[in-house]
C-alpha cells in the first residue's frame, strides 16, 4: 500500500529529514475515501507508515541528544 523510501541517516540534516518525511507521507492523500469512513481494516493496512515515522524520529532525536550531550 505504501512504498519504502530511502532513509536519511542520523548524520543527515534536519532539512533532509523533513524532506524525507514529506515524500514518505504523500501517500496519505491516496488513502482518502470519498465516504470519509475508516474502519479497523484501514488501520490494519496503514499503521506501518506512522510506526516507521515514530521509529525514525526516535533515532534522530537520540542522535541530536548524543551530539548535544555526548
Amino acid at each position: 500500500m505504501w512504498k519504502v523510501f530511502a532513509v536519511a541517516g542520523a548524520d543527515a540534516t534536519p532539512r533532509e529529514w523533513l524532506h524525507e518525511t514529506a515524500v514518505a507521507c504523500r501517500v496519505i492523500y491516496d488513502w482518502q475515501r470519498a465516504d470519509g469512513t475508516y474502519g479497523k481494516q484501514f488501520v490494519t493496512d496503514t499503521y506501518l507508515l506512522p510506526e516507521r515515522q515514530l521509529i525514525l524520529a526516535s533515532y534522530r532525536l537520540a542522535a541530536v541528544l548524543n551530539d548535544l550531550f555526548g
Side-chain angles (χ1 to χ4, degrees), residues 3 13 19-20 23 32-33 50-51 55 59 62:
K3 297 178 184 178
T13 66
H19 175 74
E20 179 187 80
V23 170
Q32 299 299 311
R33 296 184 180 169
E51 182 178 87
I55 291 168
Y59 280 112

Side-chain angles (χ1 to χ4, degrees), residues 4-66:
V4 175
F5 295 91
V7 177
D11 59 339
T13 66
R15 180 178 288 250
E16 291 168 322
W17 295 339
L18 178 64
H19 175 74
E20 179 187 80
T21 299
V23 170
C25 291
R26 284 184 185 178
V27 71
I28 64 173
Y29 297 106
D30 297 334
W31 296 344
Q32 299 299 311
R33 296 184 180 169
D35 62 1
T37 59
Y38 302 93
K40 184 177 180 181
Q41 188 61 45
F42 175 79
V43 174
T44 301
D45 292 342
T46 60
Y47 80 95
L48 291 175
L49 178 62
E51 182 178 87
R52 176 182 174 269
Q53 294 304 114
L54 288 169
I55 291 168
L56 286 173
S58 64
Y59 280 112
R60 291 169 176 169
L61 175 60
V64 169
L65 293 174
N66 282 338

